[in-house]
Amino acid sequence: MEEYKKRIVKTIQYIDNHIDSDLSLEKVSEVSAYSPFHFHRIFKLVTGETLQSYIIRKKIEKSALHLALYKNMEIKDIYWNLGFSNHSVFCKTFKKHYGVPPTEFRRSAPEKFHRILQTHRKNGQIDTVFSQYICNIENLLNWTNMNLKIEVKEMPEMNLASVMSLGIANVEPSFNVLVDWAIKKNLFPRENVKMIAVYHDSCKITPLDKVRIHACMLLDEKLKQQEGEVFAETLDAGKYIIGSGEVTLDDFEQCWVSLFLWMNENKYTTRRTFPYEIYHSNFKEHPEGKMIVDFCIPIH
């Protein structure tokens, strides 16, 4: 827990202290000691915002502070120093956050407005603004302990029959195609059938309508040739972090972020292959929409 606190505090402080600078995902994730992929997921879950949204909000809050405190400072100098490309972009973004244009905000800003934005320190304790984020991490870890069993184990090579889906909305239809094919081949339904989703893109980096996910079924033998949309795929044997639990679809994001946090805390790094989910039950057959899932991250 202390390690998570240090990383979150360090990262948020770095952003706030360098809000006038170029804050790329690569640079900020380097400060946090997470990979860009992992940091993007963790930051969103902990703060409730994407990194870009957080940075823009902090820039706008700082511009509001300057508008309230420095009445003689040109608006152009304020937004230019904060990295906004032009007056139109700045005004549109500012109005979206505060409901009024910068000039109107400056006229009506209360004299003590800056106190609202200031972070107070007492006896060297962590700023209150960080307490919310740390609480989010603690809640996540508590949720993880109650809902996921995490272990590291060697997984065997797996031969799959796969159907590619482009976009989140097409994953279920792809599974339907796969099941229809399996029924014709007398492969479904059968005892202990395993359905698997293999992530070939990150949902946090690739647009959701373009992300590539393979809907798969575990086979006893390798598929010899492509049959319509169904093709052969092999998952290599190797070491994996496995998070197992009975969860709803809405819990999937928390599960993945929990595993990434656990992975970094335990000093593991990912291998260059694809993470996947193994489904042991069907959420449609559960009264609360729950399903038993293994979340699998390939590691060294």
Side-chain angles (χ1 to χ4, degrees):
M1 172 56 67
E2 291 302 318
E3 180 64 23
Y4 294 139
K5 287 182 180 180
K6 289 178 183 178
R7 292 195 192 192
I8 291 299
V9 170
K10 181 180 180 181
T11 304
I12 297 297
Q13 286 178 326
Y14 179 84
I15 293 172
D16 290 354
N17 292 334
H18 296 81
I19 200 66
D20 302 345
S21 307
D22 179 25
L23 293 166
S24 65
L25 172 61
E26 289 72 19
K27 179 59 181 177
V28 178
S29 61
E30 181 182 335
V31 172
S32 72
Y34 290 117
S35 71
F37 176 77
H38 300 145
F39 175 75
H40 198 289
R41 284 177 173 268
I42 293 165
F43 189 89
K44 173 69 182 299
L45 191 74
V46 171
T47 67
E49 299 176 274
T50 64
L51 175 63
Q52 188 62 22
S53 295
Y54 179 84
I55 291 172
I56 290 175
R57 177 171 65 80
K58 298 303 291 185
K59 285 179 180 286
I60 289 298
E61 288 179 355
K62 187 167 185 178
S63 71
L65 178 63
H66 286 175
L67 287 168
L69 291 180
Y70 309 118
K71 300 293 187 179
N72 296 324
M73 189 174 185
E74 293 286 343
I75 290 180
K76 178 179 65 176
D77 293 333
I78 292 175
Y79 71 71
W80 185 259
N81 289 340
L82 288 170
F84 288 95
S85 57
N86 57 61
H87 186 270
S88 176
V89 170
F90 171 67
C91 289
K92 183 178 180 180
T93 307
F94 190 96
K95 187 174 181 179
K96 181 179 179 181
H97 279 72
Y98 286 104
V100 294
T103 51
E104 184 177 338
F105 179 90
R106 169 172 268 177
R107 286 196 299 268
S108 60
E111 292 182 3
K112 296 182 180 180
F113 171 77
H114 64 287
R115 293 186 182 179
I116 299 174
L117 297 179
Q118 285 179 332
T119 301
H120 300 282
R121 297 176 182 269
K122 294 182 180 180
N123 301 323
Q125 294 179 348
I126 296 174
D127 295 349
T128 55
V129 71
F130 301 130
S131 298
Q132 175 188 348
Y133 303 143
I134 292 167
C135 180
N136 286 346
I137 290 181
E138 290 173 343
N139 290 338
L140 173 62
L141 294 176
N142 289 335
W143 182 92
T144 301
N145 291 333
M146 290 188 295
N147 292 277
L148 284 183
K149 175 187 176 183
I150 301 178
E151 58 183 335
V152 175
K153 58 189 293 188
E154 291 287 334
M155 294 293 284
E157 180 181 88
M158 291 192 283
N159 295 314
L160 309 177
S162 303
V163 175
M164 184 176 68
S165 63
L166 291 176
I168 290 292
N170 292 319
V171 174
E172 185 172 355
S174 294
F175 271 114
N176 292 337
V177 170
L178 181 62
V179 168
D180 288 343
W181 170 84
I183 290 173
K184 294 175 183 177
K185 304 286 288 187
N186 294 320
L187 297 172
F188 187 91
R190 58 189 168 95
E191 188 177 359
N192 296 324
V193 64
K194 293 292 188 294
M195 308 301 284
I196 298 173
V198 181
Y199 287 80
H200 287 257
D201 292 314
S202 165
C203 295
K204 292 300 182 183
I205 297 173
T206 304
L208 293 181
D209 61 339
K210 295 181 174 61
V211 67
R212 183 161 59 101
I213 300 173
H214 290 180
C216 310
M217 177 184 292
L218 181 61
L219 301 178
D220 294 331
E221 298 180 356
K222 189 171 184 177
L223 187 65
K224 292 182 172 56
Q225 61 183 12
Q226 183 167 341
E227 300 180 19
E229 295 182 59
V230 182
F231 57 90
E233 182 171 6
T234 300
L235 293 178
D236 294 335
K239 185 184 294 185
Y240 284 79
I241 294 172
I242 311 291
S244 304
E246 187 175 32
V247 296
T248 67
L249 293 175
D250 291 336
D251 296 327
F252 276 37
E253 179 69 9
Q254 287 194 83
C255 293
W256 281 115
V257 173
S258 298
L259 291 182
F260 289 133
L261 285 170
W262 193 93
M263 181 187 72
N264 281 278
E265 180 70 8
N266 290 275
K267 312 302 182 186
Y268 290 107
T269 57
T270 56
R271 283 187 289 118
R272 287 186 173 275
T273 187
F274 306 111
Y276 55 86
E277 298 159 352
I278 303 176
Y279 310 123
H280 299 278
S281 64
N282 188 342
F283 73 94
K284 293 182 178 180
E285 298 173 356
H286 192 284
E288 298 177 9
K290 292 184 176 181
M291 58 196 304
I292 300 172
V293 186
D294 293 340
F295 299 88
C296 308
I297 298 178
I299 57 172
H300 291 290

